[in-house]
Amino acid sequence: LIYLTMSSYDDDMQHEEIPAKILDLAQGSAPTSLKTMRACKRCGILKTLHQFLNEGCDNCPYLEMADDRERCNMLTSAFFEGVVAVMDPSDSWAAKWLRVDNCVPGVYAITVTGQLDPNTIEDLENKGIKYRCRPAGS
């Protein structure tokens, strides 16, 4: 029999490298509350308004939503249908179907009501960024 003391176990754990997939999952995003939950109109990730204000969109930092309530309200929607939790976007058929397979792990809306304003769409196109979301009813 081999007996390990807690201190030797801790020492062994300090030397183990954390797999990249686990680190990617740690970067995932989930809404902290069901109240005031909103969807990014570009990628469909779901967060609370407070999270969008504090952190912006994890997938769309170029939308510059952090600390700008007006932009958060303009670039997100409180009206969406369906919810999909994506743990491993690169290996998920649901993520591929939603076209978020290159996005962070997180919770995504299936459809989002509302579209980005024409100026924002033009800015995205000029930067070579695709407009991902499928509006509800399409």
Side-chain angles (χ1 to χ4, degrees), residues 7-23:
S7 63
S8 68
Y9 177 77
D10 288 342
D11 291 341
D12 290 342
M13 291 303 289
Q14 290 175 3
H15 299 291
E16 287 186 30
E17 200 169 304
I18 299 172
K21 279 198 174 205
I22 302 298
L23 289 173

Side-chain angles (χ1 to χ4, degrees), residues 16 23 27 31 37 43 46 53 67-68 75 80 87 95-96 98 100 109 117 122 124 130 134:
E16 287 186 30
L23 289 173
Q27 300 304 315
M37 196 162 52
C43 71
L46 294 173
L53 282 169
D67 300 320
D68 191 334
L75 300 170
F80 56 87
M87 297 299 294
K96 289 178 179 97
L98 287 171
V100 295
D117 64 283
E122 185 178 338
L124 292 176
K130 292 186 179 185
R134 293 184 311 271

Side-chain angles (χ1 to χ4, degrees), residues 55-114:
E55 307 158 12
C57 179
D58 300 316
N59 298 313
C60 314
Y62 40 80
L63 292 179
E64 300 172 345
M65 286 189 244
D67 300 320
D68 191 334
R69 183 176 291 272
E70 186 177 329
R71 283 192 66 78
C72 283
N73 285 325
M74 182 175 72
L75 300 170
T76 66
S77 175
F79 303 101
F80 56 87
E81 293 182 13
V83 174
V84 175
V86 177
M87 297 299 294
D88 185 357
S90 64
D91 195 37
S92 165
W93 69 266
K96 289 178 179 97
W97 177 67
L98 287 171
R99 293 174 275 182
V100 295
D101 48 315
N102 291 319
C103 295
V104 299
V107 181
Y108 291 85
I110 294 175
T111 58
V112 179
T113 300

